[in-house]
């Protein structure tokens, strides 16, 4: 669980997203060891959930579709001294579109935190049209 301190730390993170033909490459840099530790644990938990198909935010159609298509999504992450880098890719159009939609979701969270808001976005997200019938 996050707390106010983690939200404050996250607001200072430097986040770089690069869209590729097969998905996204994301890098989050922080000077806060506490933030890096939290982020690393979060990424590891999400990787484990993806591998198991254990849906997070199951009330959100986008998340249901993302985890239902987990067999088509590959997520590789590495942590170094002050950053976490993840490459999330797919060979299917549905998987690619889901990855990019997840990236947009995380961008909204980052923007909210930078603006003094919260990390929780309580709205449902549309499933990409390329995924119709794939969840």
């Amino acid at each position: 669980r996050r707390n106010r301190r983690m939200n404050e730390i996250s607001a200072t993170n430097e986040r770089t997203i690069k869209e590729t033909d097969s998905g996204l490459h994301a890098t989050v840099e922080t000077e806060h060891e506490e933030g890096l530790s939290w982020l690393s644990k979060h990424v590891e938990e999400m990787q484990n959930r993806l591998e198991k198909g254990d849906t997070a935010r199951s009330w959100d159609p986008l998340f249901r579709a993302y985890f239902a298509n987990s067999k088509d999504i590959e997520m590789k992450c590495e942590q170094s001294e002050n950053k976490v880098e993840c490459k999330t890719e797919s060979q299917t159009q549905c998987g690619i579109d889901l990855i990019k939609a997840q990236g947009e979701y995380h961008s909204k969270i980052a923007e909210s935190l930078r603006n003094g808001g919260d990390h929780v976005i309580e709205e449902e997200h549309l499933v990409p049209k390329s995924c119709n019938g794939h969840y």
Side-chain angles (χ1 to χ4, degrees):
R1 286 269 176 221
R2 295 176 65 98
N3 58 36
R4 184 176 307 213
R5 171 81 177 134
M6 286 311 305
N7 286 350
E8 291 169 357
I9 289 171
S10 294
T12 66
N13 289 350
E14 183 67 35
R15 191 168 181 273
T16 305
I17 302 296
K18 179 183 174 196
E19 285 196 15
T20 68
D21 290 341
S22 59
L24 286 179
H25 295 180
T27 303
V28 178
E29 296 181 68
T30 182
E31 297 301 320
H32 300 276
E33 187 175 319
E34 181 181 6
L36 186 63
S37 175
W38 185 91
L39 181 60
S40 295
K41 287 177 188 170
H42 174 69
V43 166
E44 184 178 333
E45 178 185 350
M46 290 301 112
Q47 278 183 291
N48 289 336
R49 291 183 87 151
L50 186 62
E51 289 170 8
K52 294 176 184 174
D54 181 16
T55 307
R57 293 175 54 103
S58 60
W59 54 267
D60 188 327
L62 174 62
F63 280 75
R64 283 196 309 270
Y66 188 86
F67 284 92
N69 286 276
S70 61
K71 67 185 182 321
D72 295 329
I73 298 171
E74 184 176 358
M75 181 177 175
K76 293 182 182 177
C77 299
E78 294 180 3
Q79 178 185 335
S80 60
E81 187 175 318
N82 68 334
K83 64 185 172 184
V84 174
E85 295 180 89
C86 292
K87 293 179 180 181
T88 310
E89 299 178 321
S90 180
Q91 300 303 311
T92 69
Q93 191 60 55
C94 173
I96 293 165
D97 292 343
L98 287 167
I99 291 165
K100 291 180 180 182
Q102 282 283 332
E104 289 174 17
Y105 164 80
H106 283 94
S107 291
K108 285 183 184 179
I109 291 173
E111 183 178 338
S112 174
L113 291 170
R114 280 192 301 276
N115 293 324
D118 199 290
H119 76 286
V120 177
I121 295 180
E122 297 289 341
E123 64 186 48
E124 291 186 359
H125 299 86
L126 296 175
V127 175
K129 290 181 181 181
S130 63
C131 297
N132 285 340
H134 294 271
Y135 64 99

